[in-house]
Amino acid sequence: MSLLVTGSIAIDTVASPYGRAEDVLGGSAVYFSFAASQYVPVRLVGVVGDDFPKEFRDVLTSKDIDLRGLEVRKGSKTFRWSGRYAEAMNEAETVEVDLNVLAERGPKVPEVFADSQTVFLANTHPTLQRDLLSQLHSPKLIVCDTMNLWITTERDSLLETLRVVHGVIVNDGEARQLTGKTNLMEAGEIILSLGPRFVMIKKGEHGGLLVSSDGVAAVPGYPTTRVKDPTGAGDTFAGGILGYLSSCGRTDFNALRGALVRGTVAASFVIEDFSLRRVEKLTRAEIDQRVDQFVRMLRFE
Amino acid sequence: MSLLVTGSIAIDTVASPYGRAEDVLGGSAVYFSFAASQYVPVRLVGVVGDDFPKEFRDVLTSKDIDLRGLEVRKGSKTFRWSGRYAEAMNEAETVEVDLNVLAERGPKVPEVFADSQTVFLANTHPTLQRDLLSQLHSPKLIVCDTMNLWITTERDSLLETLRVVHGVIVNDGEARQLTGKTNLMEAGEIILSLGPRFVMIKKGEHGGLLVSSDGVAAVPGYPTTRVKDPTGAGDTFAGGILGYLSSCGRTDFNALRGALVRGTVAASFVIEDFSLRRVEKLTRAEIDQRVDQFVRMLRFE
């Protein structure tokens, strides 16, 4: 199943207790694409300014990522984000954001991508998410992310988006904020009542929770001491999930359960180094080995 | 393997968004005993005042809990704790504490219990923990809990206790405070360097982490919407773990992994109602069924 992602492409500056990375490649669509392209070719739709470095483009094309949906807008600048993590490493403090090209009109889905069957709408304005969706012929699996800002300021539009998607991937804070429920299973069940068939709730170091009409599953985080930079972990989680589901061509409960594991493992790699450094050189064999190890760790009598 | 627990026996008053329970049975040794006695007979060592209600004693003797180590101290009052939980349900706010009999001298281990092979030292002053231990002939498996207060005020004594125990069961906050490490695997490894062969870290709704000299394992919390009162969840977790280990008669890595699951499932029951209401009528068959379900949920391809 052909997989399309639309989301941000960024130039990031990140500091954590383990170091600092300046002007590095980032953005939700980029992290997603790296993870998903380990399973299937990825079609990326996004927009950058004419300051977007050639090296970054080269890094993307070195993977199975189709850039025909990447618009380079003349006279505009690429989205920039700068953040830092304190010792707890659980949430970034945003130091600076320059929306730049993201504050302009959204990207177009090129006609060659219009037949895409799986779509991930990374976090952006919910109206823009539906606008992007309307440019596709007949997607079979539509999954979206969102964020606190839209839950607060664009609730009606977000609810409209939730009515047309099959799945939602959000973090625990967003699930709670959206539903007013602290208990994540209750939150998940309320999200199901808004439209989607499944919800994957990202819990950072605590792993993930799948709530679907066919059942519930939970995994712990992959136990690791190697955490240098959590940036992109959520989008990488989504990339592992949708890459795996696309490669399976199924979205039954068991496929969703398998996807939850792949998402968790994908995220466990990206946090090991700044930006995409760890996943740039990551092989499918390394992923499969860690999936195996994780699955064995979770096998109890 | 005969199992002895020493810890508090309390009269609790608890309020949560789901109701309120006044003057109910509580205390670390009590919660532990209920969970552990599902697997093996439990020897309880503790002290109460002469106000301790006969009904509470009856509830304890209705289970496989040997009360020959329960001292009723004339002229003293039973330990009382009153707390409340806010919507998030993750941490109790203590409303009132009356140490009463717990502020006096510690309980004695009766001679008939001196041959106990497995011992759980629930949270109390670390010097008292060692004092209780010294009354046993040759315990094979010693496990302790502790709390933030002793980590801060009795660090040296606590380190001495850690040198003589085989295992530690603490919550995430305590593991972090004790080691100065935010990452729980790092925290676990540092605790191992202080003496114990294994550490089980309780993470509330997020499940548990086992760090041992033979490997690491993690489980998510048992997914449930039925959470009315988290009081005693940690001691119930410990009770499930040590009850199971005692019934196995083994403490190898696989037994510890199985114990982590039993502890998590034990805790998932006790939180379903106030005080011990849910576990009073809990059967071993119900436990085994939920263990089965949990193990199946964690079986991935």
Side-chain angles (χ1 to χ4, degrees):
Chain A
M1 303 215 301
S2 47
L3 172 57
L4 180 143
V5 57
T6 168
S8 66
I9 299 156
I11 302 176
D12 286 348
T13 294
V14 182
S16 90
Y18 301 91
R20 186 181 158 85
E22 210 152 332
D23 295 339
V24 291
L25 180 57
S28 59
V30 172
Y31 278 105
F32 179 95
S33 296
F34 265 75
S37 66
Q38 292 279 359
Y39 293 95
V40 290
V42 176
R43 296 165 164 188
L44 188 153
V45 173
V47 52
V48 294
D50 52 15
D51 60 343
F52 191 68
K54 185 180 173 305
E55 315 89 81
F56 289 1
R57 180 182 268 275
D58 292 345
V59 169
L60 287 163
T61 48
S62 76
K63 303 289 164 188
D64 206 347
I65 302 170
D66 188 334
L67 295 187
R68 282 179 295 174
L70 177 67
E71 182 189 346
V72 182
R73 202 165 287 166
K74 290 264 154 43
S76 293
K77 285 191 159 174
T78 303
F79 169 54
R80 279 177 178 268
W81 177 79
S82 168
R84 70 174 152 232
Y85 296 88
E87 182 58 35
M89 300 284 275
N90 47 6
E91 212 170 342
E93 177 201 346
T94 293
V95 176
E96 214 181 328
V97 185
D98 295 305
L99 284 178
N100 294 329
V101 74
L102 287 196
E104 304 171 11
R105 67 182 188 284
K108 274 252 159 311
V109 175
E111 188 49 39
V112 286
F113 286 0
D115 63 348
S116 300
Q117 299 206 285
T118 307
V119 190
F120 182 66
L121 304 163
N123 165 44
T124 187
H125 193 296
T127 304
L128 185 57
Q129 289 179 319
R130 288 197 307 286
D131 176 54
L132 284 154
L133 215 46
S134 71
Q135 301 172 48
L136 299 173
H137 294 331
S138 55
K140 300 275 179 293
L141 174 63
I142 308 165
V143 179
C144 76
D145 189 359
T146 191
M147 73 182 286
N148 49 6
L149 177 66
W150 314 125
I151 296 171
T152 316
T153 65
E154 295 290 339
R155 194 174 181 86
D156 287 345
S157 179
L158 176 58
L159 292 177
E160 213 173 314
T161 294
L162 291 180
R163 276 194 289 276
V164 298
V165 302
H166 305 104
V168 173
I169 302 178
V170 287
N171 69 35
D172 43 2
E174 290 153 0
R176 287 175 170 138
Q177 196 190 355
L178 177 59
T179 62
K181 293 288 173 187
T182 307
N183 181 291
L184 291 176
M185 256 183 76
E186 287 186 62
E189 282 163 11
I190 289 180
I191 294 173
L192 292 190
S193 76
L194 299 173
R197 283 194 296 114
F198 69 87
V199 194
M200 302 267 197
I201 300 177
K202 310 173 266 186
K203 306 199 297 173
E205 63 166 313
H206 301 302
L209 176 68
L210 158 66
V211 182
S212 88
S213 41
D214 295 317
V216 168
V219 291
Y222 175 81
T224 178
T225 57
R226 286 177 287 179
V227 187
K228 276 191 180 169
D229 174 13
T231 307
D235 297 298
T236 301
F237 177 79
I241 286 168
L242 286 177
Y244 177 77
L245 288 176
S246 299
S247 75
C248 293
R250 288 164 32 217
T251 59
D252 58 276
F253 185 52
N254 253 328
L256 291 173
R257 294 172 77 255
L260 178 63
V261 165
R262 270 68 185 184
T264 304
V265 167
S268 77
F269 281 109
V270 81
I271 62 182
E272 290 182 2
D273 207 342
F274 284 90
S275 182
L276 296 140
R277 281 177 203 163
R278 178 65 183 94
V279 290
E280 260 181 60
K281 49 180 193 238
L282 184 64
T283 65
R284 176 66 186 270
E286 285 177 287
I287 294 172
D288 290 347
Q289 191 182 10
R290 190 172 287 185
V291 165
D292 252 29
Q293 187 199 341
F294 192 51
V295 164
R296 266 184 285 119
M297 185 196 82
L298 294 173
R299 200 157 289 225
F300 296 95
E301 302 294 322
Chain B
M1 303 215 301
S2 46
L3 171 58
L4 180 143
V5 58
T6 168
S8 66
I9 298 156
I11 301 176
D12 286 349
T13 293
V14 182
S16 91
Y18 302 91
R20 184 180 159 86
E22 210 152 332
D23 295 339
V24 290
L25 179 58
S28 59
V30 172
Y31 279 105
F32 179 95
S33 297
F34 265 75
S37 65
Q38 291 279 359
Y39 293 96
V40 291
V42 176
R43 298 166 164 187
L44 188 153
V45 173
V47 53
V48 295
D50 52 15
D51 59 344
F52 192 67
K54 183 179 173 307
E55 314 90 82
F56 288 1
R57 180 182 267 274
D58 292 345
V59 169
L60 286 164
T61 48
S62 75
K63 303 289 165 187
D64 206 349
I65 303 170
D66 188 334
L67 296 186
R68 284 180 292 173
L70 177 67
E71 181 189 346
V72 182
R73 202 165 287 166
K74 291 263 154 41
S76 294
K77 286 191 159 175
T78 304
F79 168 54
R80 279 178 178 266
W81 177 79
S82 168
R84 71 174 153 232
Y85 296 88
E87 182 57 37
M89 301 283 275
N90 47 6
E91 212 169 342
E93 180 201 342
T94 294
V95 176
E96 212 181 329
V97 185
D98 296 304
L99 285 178
N100 295 330
V101 73
L102 288 196
E104 304 171 10
R105 67 181 188 285
K108 274 251 159 310
V109 176
E111 187 50 39
V112 285
F113 287 180
D115 63 348
S116 300
Q117 299 206 283
T118 308
V119 189
F120 182 66
L121 305 164
N123 165 44
T124 188
H125 193 297
T127 305
L128 185 57
Q129 289 179 320
R130 288 197 307 285
D131 175 53
L132 285 154
L133 215 46
S134 71
Q135 301 172 47
L136 299 173
H137 295 329
S138 55
K140 300 275 178 295
L141 173 64
I142 308 165
V143 179
C144 76
D145 189 0
T146 191
M147 73 181 287
N148 48 7
L149 177 66
W150 314 125
I151 296 171
T152 316
T153 64
E154 295 290 339
R155 195 175 179 85
D156 287 347
S157 179
L158 176 58
L159 292 177
E160 213 172 314
T161 293
L162 291 180
R163 275 193 290 275
V164 298
V165 302
H166 304 106
V168 174
I169 301 179
V170 286
N171 70 35
D172 43 2
E174 290 153 0
R176 286 176 171 136
Q177 197 191 355
L178 177 59
T179 62
K181 292 288 173 188
T182 305
N183 182 291
L184 291 177
M185 257 183 76
E186 287 187 62
E189 283 164 10
I190 289 180
I191 294 173
L192 292 190
S193 76
L194 300 174
R197 283 196 295 115
F198 69 86
V199 193
M200 302 268 195
I201 300 177
K202 309 173 267 188
K203 306 199 297 172
E205 61 165 317
H206 301 303
L209 177 68
L210 158 67
V211 181
S212 88
S213 42
D214 295 317
V216 168
V219 291
Y222 175 81
T224 178
T225 57
R226 287 177 285 179
V227 187
K228 277 191 180 170
D229 174 12
T231 308
D235 296 299
T236 300
F237 176 80
I241 287 167
L242 286 176
Y244 177 78
L245 288 176
S246 299
S247 74
C248 293
R250 288 162 34 216
T251 59
D252 58 277
F253 185 51
N254 254 328
L256 292 173
R257 293 172 78 255
L260 178 63
V261 165
R262 271 68 186 184
T264 303
V265 168
S268 78
F269 281 109
V270 81
I271 62 181
E272 290 182 3
D273 207 341
F274 285 88
S275 181
L276 297 141
R277 282 177 203 164
R278 178 65 184 95
V279 292
E280 260 180 60
K281 49 181 192 235
L282 184 65
T283 65
R284 176 66 185 272
E286 286 178 286
I287 295 172
D288 290 347
Q289 190 183 10
R290 191 173 285 185
V291 165
D292 252 29
Q293 187 200 342
F294 192 52
V295 164
R296 267 185 283 118
M297 185 196 82
L298 294 173
R299 200 159 289 228
F300 297 97
E301 302 294 320

